[in-house]
Amino acid sequence: MDTGLKGKTALIPGSTSGIGLAIARALDAEGANVVISGRRGDRARSEAASLSSAVGVEIDLAEAGAADRLVERATAEFGDIDILVLNSGGPPPGNATEFDDEKLRAALEQLLLQQRRMVELVLPRMRENGWGRVVGVGSSGVQQPIPGLALSNIARAGVAAYLKSLTSVVAADGVTVNMVLPGRIDTERVASLDSAAAQRQGIEPAEARARSEAGIPAGRYGRPEEFAAVVTFLCGNGAAYVNGEQIRCDGGLVGSY
């Protein structure tokens, strides 16, 4: 399939490892210009150097004005942003009685307010150009709250509501807005969650992972490359009529359709 992504520019926050990096590599393989960014500047630059047309940017989106600086750098390098992949690490684990207002505000800032700001910065030119893709990397917790990840469940649900609300505003301008919801993907983030679960349960991390895999119909964790393939499809011309959707990539983990 010709995705039509050759020469398009993709901005991917949080892309020095895991899902974000896999998405960057997949879009690069389709001929897109890619902006890799994250707090680990050396890693961002080295990964960018391994791709065909990419730049690595060291940025901490928790800092005031960081989103503006990132978009400014990306557009200076490649011009208008055609594709924005909203990717971010998650807040600390804990259940719904284990956080206060400060922790909730921090989670909303990290996952909702920062991502909304990124959209605001790139959306006007997407609409003017008549083509754009916004893809949110969410969580299966958006549809089926994950025990022990209350802050993530709450904040990512807010992102989902925002993106769905945005769809009807921009669809006629050639801009699609979708979410891809990972289940258990084999990344550093999931490994850290397995370690936290193991500590709570008094077992080894490998046992925590085995128990988690046992609850997935596919019987294993997903690979970042498998998740990235779904995102890449949504970014391409073949998905121009897919809009406002939440697509799960979870090995059948969530029981509902």
Side-chain angles (χ1 to χ4, degrees):
M1 178 184 293
D2 180 7
T3 59
L5 295 178
K6 184 176 178 61
K8 300 292 187 184
T9 294
L11 173 57
I12 312 164
S15 49
T16 57
S17 65
I19 284 174
L21 180 58
I23 294 169
R25 289 171 174 169
L27 292 175
D28 172 78
E30 295 298 323
N33 308 311
V34 174
V35 181
I36 293 177
S37 67
R39 293 190 296 268
R40 296 178 287 184
D42 290 345
R43 182 72 180 270
R45 289 184 287 271
S46 66
E47 292 292 349
S50 72
L51 302 182
S52 301
S53 179
V55 62
V57 180
E58 181 176 354
I59 199 83
D60 182 355
L61 289 175
E63 297 176 356
D68 299 71
R69 294 195 300 274
L70 177 56
V71 171
E72 182 178 352
R73 172 68 190 281
T75 54
E77 196 75 29
F78 292 122
D80 290 341
I81 305 301
D82 304 296
I83 299 164
L84 174 62
V85 179
L86 296 170
N87 183 52
S88 173
N95 67 42
T97 64
E98 294 176 340
F99 63 85
D100 54 19
D101 288 352
E102 182 178 351
K103 290 181 179 179
L104 178 58
R105 278 192 291 268
L108 293 173
E109 176 66 35
Q110 177 186 11
L111 289 173
L112 177 57
L113 300 182
Q114 288 176 12
Q115 296 192 4
R116 175 178 171 270
R117 179 60 180 159
M118 296 289 295
V119 173
E120 287 182 331
L121 290 167
V122 304
L123 191 60
R125 291 295 294 162
M126 287 182 178
R127 299 180 76 180
E128 289 172 18
N129 294 334
W131 198 100
R133 300 288 185 267
V134 177
V135 182
V137 176
S139 164
S140 60
V142 169
Q143 296 183 350
Q144 181 174 293
I146 302 169
L149 292 180
L151 287 172
S152 176
N153 296 335
I154 294 166
R156 293 189 195 278
V159 175
Y162 165 63
L163 294 179
K164 183 64 175 178
S165 299
L166 186 63
T167 302
S168 62
V169 180
V170 301
D173 299 320
V175 179
T176 67
V177 184
N178 294 290
M179 290 192 81
V180 185
L181 310 181
R184 305 292 283 188
I185 308 296
D186 199 358
T187 63
E188 294 175 10
R189 163 72 172 171
V190 169
S192 70
L193 294 175
D194 283 343
S195 294
Q199 187 173 13
R200 290 195 305 271
Q201 298 170 33
I203 59 176
E204 293 297 318
E207 176 61 22
R209 173 171 176 148
R211 292 181 183 182
S212 180
E213 288 178 326
I216 303 170
R220 63 175 178 86
Y221 285 179
R223 297 188 298 274
E225 296 78 12
E226 293 172 317
F227 186 89
V230 180
V231 174
T232 300
F233 169 72
L234 290 174
C235 292
N237 287 335
Y241 204 58
V242 180
N243 215 340
E245 298 298 330
Q246 295 177 2
I247 299 176
R248 295 195 301 267
C249 181
D250 66 359
L253 176 64
V254 175
S256 64
Y257 281 107

